[in-house]
Amino acid sequence: MMVAAPTVRERKFLPEPVSGVDTDGVFEGYASLFGEADLGKDVVMPGAFRDSLKKRGAAQVRLLWQHDPAQPIGRWLSIAEDLRGLRVLGRLNLAVERARDIHALMRDGAVDGLSIGFRVERARAERPTGLRRLERLDLWEISVVTFPMLPGARVETVKHGAYRLATHIRSTSVRLFS
């Protein structure tokens, strides 16, 4: 009689809680990474967000909890494509109870996923691989999530203070070295 091997669940956690947390709720990370297949076999291509960001800007892209439109938790301060992917800088609204809970979970390292909500405007399927290359997307929202579809889409730091200077330095270096 053959016995099936037990199912092993792979888990990835932050090696330690995200550092640099204080009371303002500012955080940054990558909501999407170019050229990497997500768990649904979608691959976002460089430039996919360009038109949407020109049309909408960061102010019109919602910051939600778990893609739930009934749970806005803050606002995006900056959303930009760089060479790696879709870099985001957001601020949790700590006057909102849910946002305070999420902030505490981020500080503890328990929640660090980011996920995009969008409408596909142009994509192409690759029959041999089964991948769908997303070439143009209409970005509606970016959520903080427990389990992101793209495992590498994560909050990198929960910041305090001088985020504008860091954003300016980053955008200038992208222009200089791109």
Side-chain angles (χ1 to χ4, degrees), residues 75-109:
R75 64 186 179 92
W76 293 111
L77 303 173
S78 171
I79 303 173
E81 287 189 348
D82 65 16
L83 296 176
R84 185 173 178 215
L86 189 65
R87 183 94 180 150
V88 296
L89 178 71
R91 180 189 302 267
L92 297 172
N93 181 339
L94 299 178
V96 175
E97 183 177 359
R98 171 67 72 197
R100 286 193 306 274
D101 293 343
I102 293 162
H103 188 243
L105 292 168
M106 283 180 171
R107 291 175 64 176
D108 192 41

Side-chain angles (χ1 to χ4, degrees), residues 6-120:
T7 303
V8 177
R9 213 175 261 191
E10 183 177 335
R11 294 183 184 174
K12 295 181 181 180
F13 296 100
L14 283 174
E16 57 188 59
V18 178
S19 62
V21 180
D22 74 1
T23 58
D24 71 355
V26 175
F27 66 96
E28 63 183 322
Y30 279 92
S32 181
L33 301 171
F34 297 140
E36 291 191 21
D38 70 12
L39 300 175
K41 295 191 171 187
D42 282 340
V43 178
V44 176
M45 304 305 293
F49 301 103
R50 185 179 305 120
D51 294 341
S52 184
L53 291 175
K54 280 182 189 174
K55 177 176 71 173
R56 232 181 224 110
Q60 297 302 312
V61 176
R62 299 297 174 230
L63 170 51
L64 304 177
W65 170 242
Q66 306 283 14
H67 298 291
D68 184 348
Q71 294 194 58
I73 55 172
R75 64 186 179 92
W76 293 111
L77 303 173
S78 171
I79 303 173
E81 287 189 348
D82 65 16
L83 296 176
R84 185 173 178 215
L86 189 65
R87 183 94 180 150
V88 296
L89 178 71
R91 180 189 302 267
L92 297 172
N93 181 339
L94 299 178
V96 175
E97 183 177 359
R98 171 67 72 197
R100 286 193 306 274
D101 293 343
I102 293 162
H103 188 243
L105 292 168
M106 283 180 171
R107 291 175 64 176
D108 192 41
V111 172
D112 68 341
L114 293 171
S115 184
I116 56 177
F118 56 90
R119 183 176 57 84
V120 176

Side-chain angles (χ1 to χ4, degrees), residues 124-144:
R124 60 184 163 82
E126 289 184 355
R127 297 210 191 286
T129 63
L131 296 175
R132 181 172 68 151
R133 303 270 175 192
L134 305 176
E135 297 173 341
R136 191 168 66 217
L137 300 173
D138 184 17
L139 183 65
W140 293 351
E141 58 93 6
I142 302 169
S143 287
V144 176

Side-chain angles (χ1 to χ4, degrees), residues 152-170:
R154 301 284 175 174
V155 171
E156 290 180 347
T157 58
V158 180
K159 300 181 73 80
H160 57 285
Y163 62 86
R164 286 193 176 117
L165 176 60
T167 301
H168 178 71
I169 291 169
R170 188 179 302 96

